[in-house]
Amino acid sequence: MMKKLLLIIIACLFLTPALAVEPDEVLADPAMEARARDLSTEVRCMVCQNQSIEDSDAPLAKDLRILVRERIVAGDTNDEVLTFLVARYGEFVLLKPRFTLANAFLWIAPIGVLLIGGFIAFFAFRSRRGQNPVEKPLTAAEHEALKKILSPDS
């Protein structure tokens, strides 16, 4: 039992995400290194695209991690570092894009589509509610035609 538990713990240690930061990238100041790691989780790897540069092993991600650390050492704030990266690589470099007028449509469109669809469905169901289909009795001519069709003589 104890061996199984130990094996599970060891397996869990190997399943944790591997951080791609190499020892030569780490800053000497722990506070600056913590800032760099926080910022690196917000920046998209342009090669992997759905991975932060903190988690990516791609050479471009390494270059971006080094660039982030250089800007922090130069005295830039977190916002200044992100603004620099956006100016250089575009808004796509951010894993969570900022809400700006340029991309407001992308943020608002899903809500607008849901609202428009809801209004259409509401009014469609409301107009159908007034149209209650009532069965009408057959006319004499229809009754005779039905008898003719169903009679075994034909």
Side-chain angles (χ1 to χ4, degrees), residues 48 59 78 128:
C48 308
N78 291 1
R128 284 189 184 171

Side-chain angles (χ1 to χ4, degrees), residues 6-28:
L6 185 60
L7 287 174
I8 291 173
I9 292 172
I10 291 171
C12 288
L13 290 175
F14 286 112
L15 292 176
T16 58
L19 299 178
V21 177
E22 297 174 13
D24 62 333
E25 299 175 34
V26 178
L27 296 173

Side-chain angles (χ1 to χ4, degrees), residues 44-49 51 53 60-61 64 89-90 92-94:
R44 180 188 315 273
C45 174
M46 303 302 272
V47 176
C48 308
Q49 294 193 2
Q51 202 173 20
I53 60 172
L60 180 59
L64 287 172
Y89 297 101
F92 185 72
V93 79
L94 298 177

Side-chain angles (χ1 to χ4, degrees), residues 64-79:
L64 287 172
R65 286 192 302 266
I66 292 171
L67 181 62
V68 165
R69 283 167 173 76
E70 287 174 355
R71 301 299 299 186
I72 289 174
V73 169
D76 286 0
T77 64
N78 291 1
D79 285 336

